[in-house]
Amino acid sequence: MTDRPGPARRGRHRAVAPRRLVRLGRFVARHRRWVVLAWAVGVVLAFATAVGGVTGESLFERLSSGEPSVDAEAQAGRDLLRSADGEGGQTIVQVSGVPVGQPGVAAVTAELARRLASVPDVAQVTTPFSVPGGVRGPAAAPLLGGGSPASGKFVVVVTRSPTPSTPEVDTAERVREVAAAAFAPLTGASVHVGGVALLVDDITTQVEVDLRIGEGVALPVSLLLMVFVFGGLVAAGMPIVGAVASIGGGLASLLGFSHLIDLDATVVNIVTVLGLGLCIDYGLLVVSRYREELRAIARQTRPRDITTDQVVLAAGRTVATAGRTVLFSGVTVGICLGGLMVFESSLIRAIGAAAASVVAVAVLVALTLVPALCAMGARRLVRKGTEVSPDEGWFSWLAHRVQRRPVLVVVAVTALLVAAALPALGLRTTSSGTGLLPQGADQRTFFETLGRDYPAFSDPEVTVVARTTPTELGTWAASKRSLPDVVAVEPPRQLDDGYAAVGFRTPNGELGDQARDLVTRLREDRPAFPTWVTGAAAGLADFNASARQRAPYAVALVALATLVLLYLMTGSIVIPVKALLLNVISLGASLGVVVWVFQQGHLEGLLGFTSVGAIESTIPLLLFAFGFGLSMDYEVFLLSRIVELHDQGHGDNESVVLGLQRSGRIITSAAILIVIVFAGFVAGKLLIIKETGVALAFAVLVDATLVRILLVPATMTLLGRWNWWAPAPLRRWHARHGIAEAG
């Protein structure tokens, strides 16, 4: 197919060699043993501090867990309630299998209360026997299963001091030990201990387990695939070594961030998997390019006769070309993650900041450690032949077929992606809490049992805090009793400093449709006095409203930065705009698949989860930032080759064909590897990690196949020379200041 007409073809870039990158590559190659040794020491120290905790707390001991929130009405209401309660956390002992009237139960429970009172930081112990009126009195009903003494179930509530001196989880573990020992003599007694501290501990422990499972699946399978790609273990092992270094550096970076900001437990897996995937991608690109450059330099030389100067020269060229692509990709991904900093949620900001630091580690590994490893194993890298791709092959064949019918390809692929995106129109978000853990997990089971057997013991689904008297608040709340979403209205209670609170009970849980609708109704119909509507549904509504408000700014930041970066690389205005549009379609399809799988409940058995009828509220934001960043990663991989060929004088269509042929294998291999990485984390148990893994794996798969191999060649063929269009002033500016490949 001939090149299409268009505006006059732009002049070739001035061949500006990135001299600093050349010098970096040569320096790393000359001092390769010292570089590798420095990284080895650094990685050992990183794992020792972040995982082993040799300098104090490990990373996993510093993690927290909670629903994503913003500084809005629901959070203000929670703060008022927490200030009024003025108590520490609670640990609850559920006892079943022994009726309270059974001989010996009262004595054992009294002895348990006595022992627990001596546990450090325990302020109060409440049992059904210690409340006014005893087990038959009304005060004991909330502490009895189903409110009945005959149920054979009761709870003991242990309240911590408001000014504790030990971690809450330590107190909870001590309560667990004492309770198990106290009820051991009673035949049939079953003791189950839980609380927020133990729930967080379960989640953080599961994060650590999932991380090990993910790495245990991803690294070996990735190594096997790269052995196939490179045809040898030495070349295949270099990106894996770099990935291990990236994991260590990333965990150490997160440990540092944990001293500056609160890190949610899920942050670790999300950002670690990103760093792992990127490092494998970058390592694959660098090792492949190094083999290509070294073979070109030592074309007539036997591997054993390759000189040190040739090894160093190849490293300089590799870092100046592949390293430049890695640097561009890292900056692009970092900016995409920086878009998360626009949002109000501290959780989302923490993910953005921590992930950007992990990306920086991956780039540093690719620019220093991997080239040093290549220089150390240079002669063995080229024993099995060359990395120079032939100009004719499967990818060039496919590109020629696409160029024959570009309109058909664009219409068919776009229609397929739009169809995949349609389920996203019914997107429903949630914040699962205990639902993050798999069914059967200790603390998930505890809280499910607590909600079922002790309904009066759980917080109301919606709480209204008001600056008024309990009497006036009660009168207003009574007028809302007839609302269709209200099952019961609790008696109002006095808080501090002239505040009062009242709880509303709704069916189907704290994040059910009724609770969400009630929040909307109560906020739309305010009384004369100030109110704060709070609860899980209210917090989710505030988070979603904040996300919608800030999303345009995040999109604008990422889009503008991407346009500028791609323009600096290509000198075109058209290519960056087209890249943005294709990425939007691709991410829409990915979100649609996540909704179809997790919200609608498809593939539950295959992926090992139970649908909660919604997806986690953070997933759309993470998919936007991480998915867009990874898409631009492959865009940079492909465009760097196409631009390089176009600048060398190849025609518009020929540049696309040759660019796809020479980079297609690397892009496809990199995509398969990163899909394997994400698939490894889908094997974990935490629901949000599964959702993130599926979302990003599908985004990468779609981008590296339908978008990069089909849509990009088709659209570039249709546009012809218009691909390279830019206004004359920008063209002249780029000719002087644009960034080009090294000559």
Side-chain angles (χ1 to χ4, degrees), residues 292-555:
E292 179 180 333
E293 294 291 350
L294 184 58
R295 178 56 63 184
I297 292 169
R299 192 179 303 277
Q300 304 300 325
T301 307
R302 291 180 300 178
R304 66 183 181 184
D305 295 329
I306 292 175
T307 66
T308 300
D309 287 342
Q310 289 173 322
V311 169
V312 171
L313 180 60
R317 290 185 180 180
T318 298
V319 176
T321 53
R324 168 187 172 275
T325 301
V326 166
L327 195 56
F328 246 108
S329 171
V331 172
T332 304
V333 175
I335 290 174
C336 292
L337 296 171
L340 295 177
M341 302 299 291
V342 173
F343 294 96
E344 291 182 295
S345 169
S346 58
L347 170 62
I348 299 301
R349 288 183 174 182
I351 291 175
S357 70
V358 172
V359 171
V361 172
V363 171
L364 188 61
V365 166
L367 293 180
T368 57
L369 176 59
V370 177
L373 292 171
C374 288
M376 289 182 67
R379 294 166 183 85
R380 297 185 64 182
L381 282 177
V382 294
R383 283 180 183 174
K384 292 186 177 293
T386 178
E387 281 296 302
V388 178
S389 300
D391 289 346
E392 295 293 333
W394 188 86
F395 289 101
S396 64
W397 174 87
L398 180 62
H400 282 303
R401 296 301 182 277
V402 169
Q403 288 181 337
R404 290 178 183 175
R405 292 179 175 82
V407 175
L408 178 62
V409 171
V410 171
V411 172
V413 174
T414 302
L416 182 62
L417 294 177
V418 169
L422 289 178
L425 297 176
L427 171 67
R428 174 186 169 89
T429 61
T430 189
S431 182
S432 295
T434 58
L436 289 174
L437 293 168
Q439 284 192 327
D442 180 69
Q443 288 303 298
R444 177 170 179 171
T445 301
F446 173 87
F447 280 100
E448 288 174 347
T449 304
L450 186 69
R452 182 186 68 243
D453 295 341
Y454 307 92
F457 205 77
S458 60
D459 292 330
E461 285 73 23
V462 180
T463 299
V464 176
V465 179
R467 188 184 296 135
T468 186
T469 63
T471 302
E472 191 173 9
L473 179 60
T475 302
W476 171 80
S479 68
K480 305 300 179 184
R481 193 184 301 272
S482 60
L483 290 175
D485 305 317
V486 176
V487 172
V489 178
E490 296 186 344
R493 61 189 179 102
Q494 180 72 54
L495 304 180
D496 295 337
D497 302 323
Y499 291 91
V502 64
F504 293 83
R505 297 281 180 178
T506 64
N508 298 326
E510 60 184 5
L511 287 171
D513 289 337
Q514 292 83 357
R516 300 185 191 213
D517 291 343
L518 180 60
V519 168
T520 302
R521 294 175 189 272
L522 294 178
R523 287 181 170 179
E524 289 177 346
D525 185 17
R526 304 273 188 178
F529 43 83
T531 59
W532 293 263
V533 180
T534 189
L540 181 62
D542 288 346
F543 178 86
N544 289 339
S546 175
R548 287 192 296 268
Q549 181 183 15
R550 295 299 183 98
Y553 301 104
V555 170

Side-chain angles (χ1 to χ4, degrees), residues 32-51:
R32 48 192 176 274
R33 289 182 177 84
W34 287 108
V35 172
V36 173
L37 178 61
W39 270 105
V41 172
V43 169
V44 170
L45 290 176
F47 277 111
T49 55
V51 180

Side-chain angles (χ1 to χ4, degrees), residues 15-203:
V16 180
R19 293 183 180 85
R20 291 183 180 177
L21 291 179
V22 173
R23 288 197 296 268
L24 174 62
R26 292 176 178 175
F27 174 85
V28 166
R30 288 194 186 99
H31 305 280
R32 48 192 176 274
R33 289 182 177 84
W34 287 108
V35 172
V36 173
L37 178 61
W39 270 105
V41 172
V43 169
V44 170
L45 290 176
F47 277 111
T49 55
V51 180
V54 295
T55 59
E57 289 182 303
S58 72
L59 169 63
F60 297 98
E61 292 172 329
R62 296 190 56 81
L63 300 178
S64 59
S65 184
E67 64 186 54
S69 61
V70 293
D71 189 12
E73 179 179 346
Q75 186 59 48
R78 288 194 190 101
D79 292 341
L80 288 170
L81 289 172
R82 191 176 297 115
S83 174
D85 291 338
E87 61 182 25
Q90 290 184 334
T91 301
I92 301 172
V93 181
Q94 291 188 44
V95 183
S96 61
V98 284
V100 292
Q102 179 177 316
V105 172
V108 168
T109 305
E111 176 62 17
L112 170 66
R114 187 188 66 79
R115 293 182 187 176
L116 290 177
S118 64
V119 172
D121 295 324
V122 170
Q124 182 180 353
V125 180
T126 305
T127 76
F129 303 95
S130 64
V131 296
V135 294
R136 301 293 175 181
L143 303 175
L144 302 172
S148 169
S151 65
K153 301 176 182 179
F154 65 93
V155 296
V156 175
V157 182
V158 182
T159 303
R160 288 233 312 165
S161 166
T163 56
S165 59
T166 59
E168 186 174 356
V169 68
D170 291 350
T171 304
E173 290 291 355
R174 182 61 181 151
V175 169
R176 192 198 301 246
E177 294 173 6
V178 173
F183 284 97
L186 290 180
T187 303
S190 176
V191 178
H192 199 179
V193 178
V196 173
L198 291 175
L199 173 63
V200 172
D201 187 60
D202 261 19
I203 292 176

